[in-house]
Amino acid sequence: MAYYGSGDFLGLKPNTQRTYKGIFDRYRDKYGDKPVAMLEARHIRGQMDKMAATPAAANNMLKVLRAVMRFAVDRGFARADPTVGVRMLRYRSEGFHAWTEHEIEAFELKWPVGTNERLGFDLLLYTAQRSGDVRQMTVHQILDGRVLVRQEKTGQLVDIPQHPNLQASLAARKIEHLALLTTRQGKPFTEKGFGNWVSKAAERAGLPHCSAHGLRKAAARRLAEAGCTAHEIMSITGHQSLKEVERYTREVARRGLADTAMNRIA
Protein backbone atom coordinates (compact mmCIF):
# COMPACT_ATOMS: atom_id res chain seq x y z
CA MET A 1 0.00 0.00 0.00
CA ALA A 2 1.36 3.42 -1.02
CA TYR A 3 0.58 5.05 2.34
CA TYR A 4 3.03 2.73 4.15
CA GLY A 5 5.85 4.04 1.97
CA SER A 6 4.92 7.69 2.37
CA GLY A 7 6.68 10.32 4.42
CA ASP A 8 3.45 10.75 6.39
CA PHE A 9 3.63 7.17 7.64
CA LEU A 10 7.42 6.81 7.89
CA GLY A 11 7.58 10.01 9.95
CA LEU A 12 5.55 8.39 12.72
CA LYS A 13 7.16 6.74 15.74
CA PRO A 14 7.77 2.97 15.20
CA ASN A 15 5.20 2.09 17.85
CA THR A 16 2.62 4.37 16.21
CA GLN A 17 3.41 2.84 12.82
CA ARG A 18 2.66 -0.63 14.19
CA THR A 19 -0.60 0.59 15.71
CA TYR A 20 -1.74 2.39 12.54
CA LYS A 21 -0.82 -0.58 10.34
CA GLY A 22 -2.69 -3.03 12.57
CA ILE A 23 -5.84 -0.87 12.56
CA PHE A 24 -5.82 -0.17 8.83
CA ASP A 25 -4.95 -3.73 7.84
CA ARG A 26 -7.99 -4.95 9.79
CA TYR A 27 -10.13 -2.27 8.12
CA ARG A 28 -8.84 -3.28 4.68
CA ASP A 29 -9.50 -6.97 5.39
CA LYS A 30 -13.10 -6.12 6.27
CA TYR A 31 -13.97 -3.48 3.68
CA GLY A 32 -11.20 -3.68 1.09
CA ASP A 33 -13.38 -5.29 -1.56
CA LYS A 34 -15.31 -2.02 -1.97
CA PRO A 35 -13.99 0.87 -4.15
CA VAL A 36 -12.55 3.78 -2.17
CA ALA A 37 -14.31 6.25 -4.52
CA MET A 38 -17.65 4.98 -3.21
CA LEU A 39 -16.75 5.47 0.47
CA GLU A 40 -18.86 8.22 2.03
CA ALA A 41 -19.15 9.77 5.48
CA ARG A 42 -22.43 7.92 6.07
CA HIS A 43 -20.66 4.60 5.53
CA ILE A 44 -17.97 5.46 8.07
CA ARG A 45 -20.60 6.60 10.59
CA GLY A 46 -22.39 3.29 10.12
CA GLN A 47 -19.14 1.36 10.63
CA MET A 48 -18.50 3.29 13.82
CA ASP A 49 -22.04 2.68 15.06
CA LYS A 50 -21.38 -1.06 14.77
CA MET A 51 -18.39 -0.53 17.07
CA ALA A 52 -20.34 1.44 19.68
CA ALA A 53 -19.57 -1.19 22.32
CA THR A 54 -15.87 -0.38 21.90
CA PRO A 55 -15.85 3.41 21.31
CA ALA A 56 -12.11 3.82 21.79
CA ALA A 57 -11.47 1.30 19.00
CA ALA A 58 -14.02 3.07 16.78
CA ASN A 59 -12.32 6.43 17.35
CA ASN A 60 -8.89 4.94 16.64
CA MET A 61 -10.24 3.53 13.38
CA LEU A 62 -11.51 6.99 12.39
CA LYS A 63 -8.17 8.58 13.31
CA VAL A 64 -6.26 6.19 11.05
CA LEU A 65 -8.80 6.52 8.24
CA ARG A 66 -8.39 10.30 8.36
CA ALA A 67 -4.63 9.99 7.96
CA VAL A 68 -4.95 7.56 5.05
CA MET A 69 -7.66 9.56 3.28
CA ARG A 70 -5.73 12.83 3.63
CA PHE A 71 -2.81 11.07 1.98
CA ALA A 72 -5.10 9.68 -0.75
CA VAL A 73 -6.52 13.11 -1.58
CA ASP A 74 -3.08 14.78 -1.54
CA ARG A 75 -1.69 12.17 -3.95
CA GLY A 76 -4.68 12.11 -6.26
CA PHE A 77 -5.92 8.64 -5.33
CA ALA A 78 -9.25 10.08 -4.15
CA ARG A 79 -11.21 13.22 -5.01
CA ALA A 80 -12.64 13.89 -1.55
CA ASP A 81 -11.99 12.92 2.05
CA PRO A 82 -15.07 11.04 3.38
CA THR A 83 -13.89 11.40 6.98
CA VAL A 84 -14.54 15.16 6.95
CA GLY A 85 -17.40 15.93 9.31
CA VAL A 86 -17.39 12.49 10.91
CA ARG A 87 -17.23 12.95 14.67
CA MET A 88 -15.57 10.80 17.28
CA LEU A 89 -17.87 8.74 19.49
CA ARG A 90 -18.33 10.39 22.88
CA TYR A 91 -17.68 8.27 25.93
CA ARG A 92 -16.26 8.57 29.40
CA SER A 93 -13.34 6.41 30.45
CA GLU A 94 -11.03 6.50 33.45
CA GLY A 95 -8.48 4.50 31.51
CA PHE A 96 -6.31 1.93 33.22
CA HIS A 97 -6.91 1.31 36.91
CA ALA A 98 -4.35 3.11 39.10
CA TRP A 99 -2.94 0.77 41.73
CA THR A 100 -3.89 1.61 45.32
CA GLU A 101 -1.45 1.43 48.23
CA HIS A 102 -3.14 -1.77 49.40
CA GLU A 103 -2.61 -3.34 45.96
CA ILE A 104 1.01 -2.22 45.85
CA GLU A 105 1.54 -3.82 49.24
CA ALA A 106 -0.11 -7.07 48.12
CA PHE A 107 2.16 -7.33 45.08
CA GLU A 108 5.28 -6.65 47.16
CA LEU A 109 4.24 -9.38 49.61
CA LYS A 110 3.82 -11.91 46.81
CA TRP A 111 6.98 -10.95 44.92
CA PRO A 112 9.89 -10.08 47.26
CA VAL A 113 13.00 -8.13 46.31
CA GLY A 114 15.24 -10.37 44.24
CA THR A 115 12.56 -11.75 41.94
CA ASN A 116 12.34 -10.68 38.32
CA GLU A 117 8.69 -9.76 38.83
CA ARG A 118 9.59 -7.38 41.64
CA LEU A 119 12.30 -5.72 39.54
CA GLY A 120 9.81 -5.12 36.73
CA PHE A 121 7.28 -3.77 39.24
CA ASP A 122 9.84 -1.46 40.88
CA LEU A 123 11.07 -0.13 37.53
CA LEU A 124 7.50 0.74 36.56
CA LEU A 125 6.55 2.26 39.91
CA TYR A 126 9.76 4.13 40.76
CA THR A 127 10.49 5.55 37.32
CA ALA A 128 6.82 6.35 36.45
CA GLN A 129 7.56 5.49 32.80
CA ARG A 130 5.34 3.85 30.20
CA SER A 131 5.53 0.07 30.04
CA GLY A 132 7.00 0.28 26.51
CA ASP A 133 9.97 2.28 27.80
CA VAL A 134 10.47 0.12 30.89
CA ARG A 135 10.54 -3.19 29.00
CA GLN A 136 13.31 -1.81 26.74
CA MET A 137 15.49 -0.38 29.52
CA THR A 138 19.13 -1.46 29.39
CA VAL A 139 22.00 -1.50 31.87
CA HIS A 140 23.40 1.58 30.12
CA GLN A 141 20.42 3.63 31.29
CA ILE A 142 21.30 3.05 34.96
CA LEU A 143 24.13 5.50 35.56
CA ASP A 144 25.55 7.09 38.72
CA GLY A 145 22.40 6.58 40.75
CA ARG A 146 20.13 7.91 38.00
CA VAL A 147 17.82 6.51 35.32
CA LEU A 148 17.98 7.97 31.81
CA VAL A 149 15.06 7.42 29.45
CA ARG A 150 14.44 8.71 25.93
CA GLN A 151 10.70 8.15 25.76
CA GLU A 152 9.64 6.21 22.69
CA LYS A 153 6.25 7.91 22.38
CA THR A 154 7.34 11.55 22.67
CA GLY A 155 11.12 11.58 22.26
CA GLN A 156 11.31 13.37 25.63
CA LEU A 157 14.53 12.79 27.61
CA VAL A 158 13.84 12.00 31.26
CA ASP A 159 16.70 12.02 33.79
CA ILE A 160 15.57 10.97 37.26
CA PRO A 161 17.31 9.86 40.47
CA GLN A 162 16.98 6.23 41.50
CA HIS A 163 14.61 5.71 44.41
CA PRO A 164 16.21 3.69 47.27
CA ASN A 165 13.64 0.90 46.73
CA LEU A 166 14.62 0.65 43.08
CA GLN A 167 18.31 0.64 43.99
CA ALA A 168 17.70 -2.28 46.38
CA SER A 169 15.78 -4.15 43.70
CA LEU A 170 18.51 -3.63 41.10
CA ALA A 171 21.23 -4.68 43.56
CA ALA A 172 19.36 -7.89 44.43
CA ARG A 173 19.20 -9.11 40.81
CA LYS A 174 22.15 -10.50 38.90
CA ILE A 175 21.60 -8.89 35.51
CA GLU A 176 23.36 -10.93 32.82
CA HIS A 177 21.92 -9.30 29.72
CA LEU A 178 21.91 -5.88 28.13
CA ALA A 179 18.18 -5.57 28.87
CA LEU A 180 17.27 -5.13 32.54
CA LEU A 181 14.20 -7.34 32.13
CA THR A 182 14.18 -10.55 30.14
CA THR A 183 12.02 -13.64 29.73
CA ARG A 184 13.00 -16.98 31.26
CA GLN A 185 14.79 -17.71 28.01
CA GLY A 186 16.93 -14.59 28.46
CA LYS A 187 15.28 -12.69 25.61
CA PRO A 188 13.85 -9.15 25.70
CA PHE A 189 10.08 -8.96 26.19
CA THR A 190 7.80 -8.13 23.29
CA GLU A 191 5.27 -5.34 23.85
CA LYS A 192 2.38 -7.76 24.32
CA GLY A 193 4.50 -10.26 26.22
CA PHE A 194 5.60 -7.70 28.80
CA GLY A 195 2.07 -6.54 29.51
CA ASN A 196 0.86 -10.12 29.87
CA TRP A 197 3.79 -10.97 32.16
CA VAL A 198 3.02 -8.10 34.55
CA SER A 199 -0.72 -8.87 34.47
CA LYS A 200 -0.09 -12.55 35.29
CA ALA A 201 2.22 -11.60 38.17
CA ALA A 202 -0.48 -9.25 39.49
CA GLU A 203 -3.12 -11.97 39.11
CA ARG A 204 -1.00 -14.39 41.16
CA ALA A 205 -0.90 -11.69 43.84
CA GLY A 206 -4.72 -11.60 43.84
CA LEU A 207 -4.90 -8.46 41.69
CA PRO A 208 -6.49 -9.52 38.37
CA HIS A 209 -7.59 -5.96 37.57
CA CYS A 210 -4.10 -4.43 37.88
CA SER A 211 -1.78 -3.82 34.93
CA ALA A 212 1.61 -2.37 34.05
CA HIS A 213 -0.03 0.83 32.75
CA GLY A 214 -1.73 1.40 36.11
CA LEU A 215 1.61 1.63 37.92
CA ARG A 216 2.53 4.80 36.01
CA LYS A 217 -0.72 6.34 37.23
CA ALA A 218 -0.01 5.15 40.77
CA ALA A 219 3.43 6.76 40.65
CA ALA A 220 1.94 10.09 39.52
CA ARG A 221 -0.66 9.87 42.27
CA ARG A 222 2.05 9.24 44.89
CA LEU A 223 4.04 12.24 43.68
CA ALA A 224 0.94 14.43 43.95
CA GLU A 225 0.21 13.13 47.46
CA ALA A 226 3.79 13.99 48.43
CA GLY A 227 3.01 17.62 47.56
CA CYS A 228 4.80 17.77 44.20
CA THR A 229 3.68 20.46 41.79
CA ALA A 230 2.39 19.55 38.33
CA HIS A 231 5.70 20.65 36.80
CA GLU A 232 7.68 18.52 39.26
CA ILE A 233 5.55 15.50 38.36
CA MET A 234 6.08 16.19 34.64
CA SER A 235 9.84 16.18 35.17
CA ILE A 236 9.52 12.56 36.31
CA THR A 237 6.75 11.20 34.09
CA GLY A 238 7.77 13.12 30.97
CA HIS A 239 4.20 14.24 30.24
CA GLN A 240 4.10 16.95 27.56
CA SER A 241 0.87 18.57 28.78
CA LEU A 242 -0.13 19.95 32.16
CA LYS A 243 -3.74 18.82 31.64
CA GLU A 244 -3.25 15.13 32.49
CA VAL A 245 -0.84 15.76 35.37
CA GLU A 246 -2.96 18.47 36.97
CA ARG A 247 -5.74 15.91 37.39
CA TYR A 248 -3.65 14.07 39.99
CA THR A 249 -2.86 17.22 41.94
CA ARG A 250 -6.53 18.32 41.85
CA GLU A 251 -7.75 14.95 43.14
CA VAL A 252 -5.25 15.01 46.00
CA ALA A 253 -6.18 18.62 46.84
CA ARG A 254 -9.89 17.72 46.91
CA ARG A 255 -9.24 14.85 49.31
CA GLY A 256 -7.28 17.20 51.57
CA LEU A 257 -10.09 19.74 51.53
CA ALA A 258 -12.64 17.02 52.32
CA ASP A 259 -10.55 15.85 55.30
CA THR A 260 -10.26 19.43 56.57
CA ALA A 261 -13.99 20.00 56.16
CA MET A 262 -14.99 16.86 58.05
CA ASN A 263 -12.47 17.55 60.83
CA ARG A 264 -14.20 20.86 61.48
CA ILE A 265 -17.41 19.10 62.47
CA ALA A 266 -15.77 16.18 64.29
Side-chain angles (χ1 to χ4, degrees):
M1 179 185 170
Y3 175 66
Y4 294 153
S6 71
D8 292 349
F9 181 76
L10 296 175
L12 300 172
K13 299 286 184 183
N15 194 45
T16 306
Q17 288 181 10
R18 289 192 294 271
T19 300
Y20 272 41
K21 190 174 187 305
I23 292 171
F24 191 73
D25 283 354
R26 287 192 293 274
Y27 185 87
R28 187 174 56 183
D29 290 344
K30 195 168 184 179
Y31 303 109
D33 59 331
K34 300 174 177 62
V36 68
M38 302 295 289
L39 183 62
E40 299 177 9
R42 62 188 177 91
H43 299 135
I44 298 172
R45 291 189 186 100
Q47 292 160 4
M48 293 182 69
D49 286 342
K50 291 177 182 177
M51 300 172 69
T54 54
N59 290 343
N60 285 336
M61 180 191 77
L62 177 60
K63 182 178 179 181
V64 173
L65 271 181
R66 279 180 174 157
V68 173
M69 292 311 303
R70 277 198 299 268
F71 165 80
V73 171
D74 287 345
R75 305 302 170 89
F77 296 121
R79 291 184 177 180
D81 180 356
T83 67
V84 173
V86 179
R87 292 179 295 181
M88 297 278 188
L89 296 183
R90 297 182 65 179
Y91 70 101
R92 185 178 182 85
S93 172
E94 295 298 324
F96 292 99
H97 166 71
W99 294 48
T100 66
E101 289 304 309
H102 175 74
E103 290 161 348
I104 289 171
E105 217 174 285
F107 191 96
E108 291 172 341
L109 263 169
K110 173 65 180 177
W111 303 106
V113 171
T115 61
N116 202 34
E117 287 81 359
R118 180 60 172 271
L119 177 58
F121 171 88
D122 285 341
L123 282 167
L124 287 162
L125 182 61
Y126 292 109
T127 67
Q129 299 306 300
R130 297 176 182 88
S131 60
D133 291 315
V134 169
R135 74 176 176 84
Q136 297 180 85
M137 282 185 183
T138 69
V139 292
H140 299 309
Q141 292 174 252
I142 308 299
L143 300 167
D144 302 322
R146 303 188 73 81
V147 180
L148 301 177
V149 181
R150 176 71 69 179
Q151 294 186 333
E152 183 181 36
K153 183 176 180 179
T154 64
Q156 176 70 38
L157 177 63
V158 178
D159 180 354
I160 52 182
Q162 291 176 28
H163 189 278
N165 289 359
L166 177 57
Q167 288 180 330
S169 205
L170 287 165
R173 287 289 296 172
K174 185 179 180 182
I175 299 171
E176 301 175 329
H177 303 276
L178 178 64
L180 293 176
L181 297 168
T182 58
T183 65
R184 289 181 180 178
Q185 292 74 38
K187 296 180 179 180
F189 282 100
T190 63
E191 182 179 356
K192 186 176 180 180
F194 182 69
N196 289 340
W197 176 66
V198 175
S199 294
K200 285 178 182 176
E203 189 173 347
R204 290 178 65 184
L207 308 167
H209 55 293
C210 292
S211 67
H213 303 281
L215 282 168
R216 175 170 161 86
K217 295 177 77 172
R221 186 254 309 156
R222 277 185 162 188
L223 290 166
E225 289 175 346
C228 296
T229 65
H231 283 95
E232 285 173 331
I233 295 172
M234 288 173 69
S235 72
I236 301 293
T237 63
H239 278 104
Q240 300 289 295
S241 168
L242 279 170
K243 184 178 179 181
E244 175 65 19
V245 176
E246 284 178 337
R247 183 168 63 82
Y248 296 105
T249 56
R250 283 197 304 271
E251 287 175 358
V252 170
R254 278 199 298 268
R255 284 200 297 272
L257 289 170
D259 291 344
T260 301
M262 291 304 288
N263 285 335
R264 289 183 178 179
I265 60 172

